[in-house]
Amino acid sequence: MENSNQKWIEQPLSKIVTGLAVLFALVAAISLPSFVENFFLADAVMIGGKRYDINDVKKTSPVAFSKFQTEYQSLVKNTLSEFAQDKLFELVAKEKNIKPSEVLSQGFVATEPSNEEIQAVYTQYKPQFGGKSLAEVRDQIIKVLKNQQEQQHNQGVYKEIVTKYPVEFKLREIEQVRVSVETKGNPSTGKEGAKITIIEFSDFECPFCKRSQDVNRRLREKYKDDIQWVFRDFPLPFHENAMYAHMAANCSIPQNKYWDVFQVLFENSGNLSPGNVDYLVTKAGLNAEKYQACMKDKKKLQAEIDSDIEDGQKVGVNGTPAFFINGIFVSGALPFENFDEIIQKELNK
């Protein structure tokens, strides 16, 4: 989610370790539902001498409660994943008579990226290099490409390990809180009236939103007519070019070119100056005269966008991207599997 600085290219995820020993002792001692009830109800806030706990949040702010539930389960799963990974490495290390720390590195040697690969990365991320030449960032690009090689190698090793030693998570079902979110005639793709409606609040200039588009595309390709995907504007105030880009996208609707413009704006998310946006939308097929005429009525365009922002804030959106899957709030650019799990459950009802 857009709330911190993002590096120019995704780096390998660091390990997540948060009170592992304590958490596991608790989980082993009592059931997870009881743990949640007893542990979190012990936390409270006193307001004017009156005590409030998580049950009060659930009653008065269902969106905040839903977000808490989702993030808590994600933390538990990440912690269990870390524990499982360590155990798997111990098993493999014992088999091969090596140290657990050598399980991933064994047999891996990074190869030097080709000039073509280096040039391709530089071209793709050039706007984010701040005007630096290829020579100035070459070593940085090589390092990132080698990191990607290492990631691919590690993924292959993980796949082999879990094939031999299957890992299955046993997590409690969290209580899903549904929020009523209207589409209000905003641009959509997919079958109207589909069993799954996903409403996305997003920002064309947000790097996390851009990253989420690959997952969104995979979901639409997998589920096709089972999903109606609705896009609602949520340009963040600290993205100076976002509002203009969203206005431009809205001006593509009368010309039936919204999704063409949508794609080209996200592809160029790091370079959305007004001049470049004007160029990009005409490149995407908009009639220049009709587009310019539409863009003159900025008051009307901003009113529509502000309406989306206001509606999003009412249902708990405070950053981007944010999604509502049949009213279930999902916050941030999460992996494909997180969305897929919710969609599968909704389809199987």
Side-chain angles (χ1 to χ4, degrees):
M1 174 166 285
E2 178 74 313
N3 55 17
S4 62
N5 292 329
Q6 174 77 349
K7 292 185 179 180
W8 68 274
I9 191 166
E10 189 67 10
Q11 298 292 324
L13 293 175
S14 61
K15 287 190 173 184
I16 301 173
V17 182
T18 308
L20 180 60
V22 175
L23 178 60
F24 241 83
L26 286 167
V27 172
I30 55 178
S31 69
L32 190 52
S34 298
F35 165 61
V36 173
E37 181 179 357
N38 295 330
F39 186 79
F40 286 108
L41 292 186
D43 294 322
V45 58
M46 302 297 293
I47 304 174
K50 185 175 180 180
R51 182 182 184 279
Y52 298 91
D53 58 34
I54 199 66
N55 269 336
D56 296 297
V57 176
K58 179 180 176 180
K59 292 173 187 175
T60 60
S61 183
V63 173
F65 177 77
S66 177
K67 187 176 180 182
F68 155 75
Q69 289 273 74
T70 302
E71 291 182 354
Y72 170 73
Q73 188 179 60
S74 178
L75 174 61
V76 171
K77 189 170 183 179
N78 284 337
T79 305
L80 293 174
S81 295
E82 179 67 25
F83 178 83
Q85 175 182 290
D86 290 343
K87 286 296 179 185
L88 289 171
F89 285 179
E90 288 175 12
L91 289 170
V92 175
K94 187 175 181 180
E95 273 184 7
K96 297 184 177 182
N97 196 27
I98 59 176
K99 296 177 181 178
S101 60
E102 297 172 339
V103 169
L104 290 180
S105 60
Q106 190 179 48
F108 172 72
V109 179
T111 58
E112 287 297 317
S114 67
N115 290 330
E116 290 76 13
E117 290 174 315
I118 296 169
Q119 180 64 55
V121 171
Y122 178 73
T123 301
Q124 182 178 359
Y125 295 99
K126 190 174 182 179
Q128 298 177 45
F129 284 124
K132 292 182 179 179
S133 68
L134 175 57
E136 291 176 296
V137 296
R138 183 182 179 86
D139 289 343
Q140 184 182 357
I141 293 173
I142 290 172
K143 183 178 179 180
V144 170
L145 289 173
K146 286 185 175 181
N147 282 340
Q148 289 178 343
Q149 290 180 32
E150 186 177 4
Q151 280 185 286
Q152 290 172 358
H153 167 80
N154 292 349
Q155 287 169 2
V157 174
Y158 280 129
K159 189 174 180 179
E160 290 178 9
I161 294 173
V162 297
T163 299
K164 187 170 184 178
Y165 301 104
V167 175
E168 183 181 0
F169 291 96
K170 299 291 187 180
L171 302 178
R172 72 182 181 92
E173 288 286 329
I174 65 171
E175 180 181 352
Q176 297 289 5
V177 178
R178 296 179 191 272
V179 182
S180 178
V181 186
E182 297 181 50
T183 61
K184 287 192 174 178
N186 278 276
S188 68
T189 184
K191 185 179 179 181
E192 190 172 348
K195 192 167 183 179
I196 307 294
T197 297
I198 297 180
I199 299 176
E200 173 185 0
F201 287 86
S202 200
D203 176 337
F204 288 121
E205 203 174 7
C206 161
F208 298 95
C209 301
K210 178 179 180 178
R211 187 176 72 189
S212 75
Q213 296 311 308
D214 288 336
V215 169
N216 301 350
R217 201 173 297 113
R218 284 178 61 195
L219 290 169
R220 290 194 290 265
E221 288 171 356
K222 177 177 180 178
Y223 291 102
K224 298 183 173 27
D225 287 345
D226 285 329
I227 290 180
Q228 181 187 15
W229 200 289
V230 182
F231 188 85
R232 300 197 64 175
D233 303 297
F234 206 90
L236 298 169
F238 51 86
H239 286 155
E240 59 178 342
N241 295 317
M243 180 61 76
Y244 190 90
H246 281 264
M247 288 180 176
N250 279 280
C251 277
S252 69
I253 296 173
Q255 297 190 44
N256 296 317
K257 289 284 186 180
Y258 183 82
W259 294 105
D260 298 295
V261 170
F262 176 96
Q263 182 174 336
V264 78
L265 290 177
F266 268 125
E267 285 175 351
N268 294 272
S269 183
N271 185 18
L272 293 179
S273 64
N276 197 42
V277 167
D278 292 343
Y279 165 74
L280 291 170
V281 298
T282 52
K283 182 182 176 183
L286 261 63
N287 177 283
E289 290 184 9
K290 291 180 180 179
Y291 165 70
Q292 292 296 342
C294 176
M295 288 293 283
K296 287 180 180 178
D297 195 351
K298 287 185 171 54
K299 187 175 181 181
K300 178 182 177 182
L301 291 168
Q302 181 152 354
E304 195 284 326
I305 294 169
D306 286 344
S307 175
D308 279 1
I309 294 172
E310 183 179 348
D311 285 351
Q313 290 172 336
K314 285 179 181 177
V315 292
V317 178
N318 57 17
T320 56
F323 306 86
F324 291 87
I325 305 175
N326 284 357
I328 299 169
F329 187 31
V330 179
S331 179
L334 301 181
F336 175 88
E337 291 74 19
N338 293 61
F339 292 88
D340 192 53
E341 183 179 356
I342 297 173
I343 293 170
Q344 287 285 353
K345 288 179 181 178
E346 291 297 297
L347 288 174
N348 292 327
K349 281 187 173 180

